[in-house]
Amino acid sequence: MLSEKNINALWLKAGIIGSSWAAFEIIVGSFLHNLQIPFAGTMLSAASVFLLISFAQLWNERGVILRAGIICALMKSISPSAVIIGPMVGIFMEALLIELLLLIMGRHIIGFVIAGAVAVLWSLAQKILFLLLMYGLDLIELAKSLYQYLIKLSGIDSLSSLYLIAGIVILYMVLGAAAAYAGFVSGRRYVNSNVKNHHTLEVRLNQENAFQTNTNQQFSVLLLFVVVGAIIASLYFINKQMYWAAGALGVSFIVFCIYRYKNSTKYLRKPKIWIQFIAITTIAAMIWSWAATGSYFSKEGLVVGLEMNYRALIIIFGFAAVGVELRNPVVKAILFRRGFKQLHQTLSFSFAALPVIIESLPKPALFFKQRNRVMAQILDQSHNMLQSIDDE
């Protein structure tokens, strides 16, 4: 019989934080997405740091943030979005870095600020790594050529790119540090307050599969390995400039993904990806050989640009396919058979808590205008939720 009482206290706290984090991602993420503002992902990362550091003032046990990250990332895995691997990795790494740095630095204001700064910096690192994975190492050469071209246009004799990189890194770290400090202050204010509003939420663990989805998608463990193999082989052929093999395998793979994984084309419906494709092809064709020859068109550059875009298509469709196959219900059996019963029960509890928490939260705009009051409500209802379970 599944019950909240069967979940140990640390996992239960992680489940409450993880479901609150998932609700936070849904509400604040949708709000930022609908506003269509630049760097929405970075702002969401900073908002998550604010949430986690606030919770760390209420429940400061070692391992609770890392467990919450695992819970939130797994909850993200059943999202209907075609893009889940990137967000799942981002959520898990943010929790891992905060937990690791708090272990090294200590669980005090300086440790929290440094952890928050590094966690938000990871969002930049992940973007760069994903772009390199999509477009290959040619992206670095293209960026160097573009930077040299822009420096010449500006009339500046020489300016090391290290200054630009350092400036961006500092900006991200300052944003993360500020979010962590705000979270620390908000969390301590609630913990030290004498008056509690006693926001109470009632959640009951159910017997349903924690990974249940409403899709009619068929799953196959074998296809998961086939998809991964096709991605690796296609990228290998591209890197070795075996264009006939890369074209035959890659096009067949993309057609297969479109046929089997209906949501795999979702990412391509976004205008920004086509803007990226056009920009990369144009820039590569115009300035790939500019520094060496002074020419504003290069056939080699055009080929490199098209190759980068083709590689990106393989990654986009491949990751969409892997994301679908990772939703395979066989994961539930693995969790039970491999000794992860606590994780599965916590997930079941978190999925049951998610709609209740979402319903209790205010409008997204208030998260920014009245963040301390909203955070106090989240912490209060989380504390009382745990207390009500303990009292049963």
Side-chain angles (χ1 to χ4, degrees), residues 352-366:
L354 181 61
V356 182
I357 293 173
I358 290 176
E359 187 178 353
S360 72
L361 294 178
K363 294 180 179 179
L366 291 179

Side-chain angles (χ1 to χ4, degrees), residues 22-37 40 44 76 358 364 368:
F24 203 72
E25 288 262 338
I26 291 169
I27 294 176
V28 177
S30 298
F31 177 70
L32 293 173
H33 176 75
N34 291 334
L35 287 179
Q36 295 292 319
I37 58 176
L44 183 59
K76 182 68 178 178
I358 290 176
F368 300 95

Side-chain angles (χ1 to χ4, degrees), residues 106-163:
R107 308 177 88 82
H108 46 70
I109 179 62
I110 296 176
F112 287 123
V113 167
I114 293 175
V118 174
V120 172
L121 182 61
W122 169 256
S123 68
L124 173 63
Q126 182 171 325
K127 287 176 186 176
I128 294 172
L129 290 173
F130 185 67
L131 285 172
L132 288 175
L133 182 62
M134 280 183 65
Y135 295 108
L137 295 178
D138 285 335
L139 184 64
I140 297 176
E141 296 302 319
L142 184 61
K144 288 180 181 178
S145 298
L146 179 60
Y147 184 77
Q148 292 172 2
Y149 178 69
L150 293 176
I151 288 295
K152 183 175 181 180
L153 284 182
S154 67
I156 301 174
D157 291 334
S158 64
L159 180 65
S160 173
S161 58
L162 292 177
Y163 290 111

Side-chain angles (χ1 to χ4, degrees), residues 195-301:
V195 180
K196 301 293 192 298
N197 294 323
H198 298 293
H199 299 87
T200 303
L201 300 179
E202 185 175 350
V203 180
R204 288 293 179 270
L205 195 61
N206 55 50
Q207 301 286 337
E208 295 179 1
N209 184 356
F211 294 100
Q212 184 177 359
T213 63
N214 294 322
T215 178
N216 293 321
Q217 178 72 50
Q218 298 296 313
F219 301 100
S220 169
V221 175
L222 176 61
L223 272 182
L224 175 60
F225 290 100
V226 170
V227 166
V228 172
I231 295 171
I232 294 172
S234 297
L235 297 184
Y236 174 80
F237 290 145
I238 292 172
N239 290 338
K240 294 296 183 180
Q241 297 184 342
M242 300 168 64
Y243 294 129
W244 284 106
L249 178 59
V251 171
S252 300
F253 176 65
I254 290 171
V255 171
F256 170 77
C257 288
I258 293 173
Y259 173 75
R260 179 173 174 83
Y261 308 105
K262 305 303 181 185
N263 284 338
S264 62
T265 59
K266 264 188 177 181
Y267 195 70
L268 295 181
R269 298 172 198 170
K270 298 180 179 182
K272 77 172 186 179
I273 189 63
W274 293 105
I275 293 173
Q276 276 185 23
F277 286 170
I278 294 170
I280 284 175
T281 305
T282 304
I283 293 171
M286 290 181 62
I287 66 171
W288 183 259
S289 303
W290 171 81
T293 66
S295 172
Y296 282 97
F297 177 79
S298 164
K299 183 179 178 181
E300 180 187 357

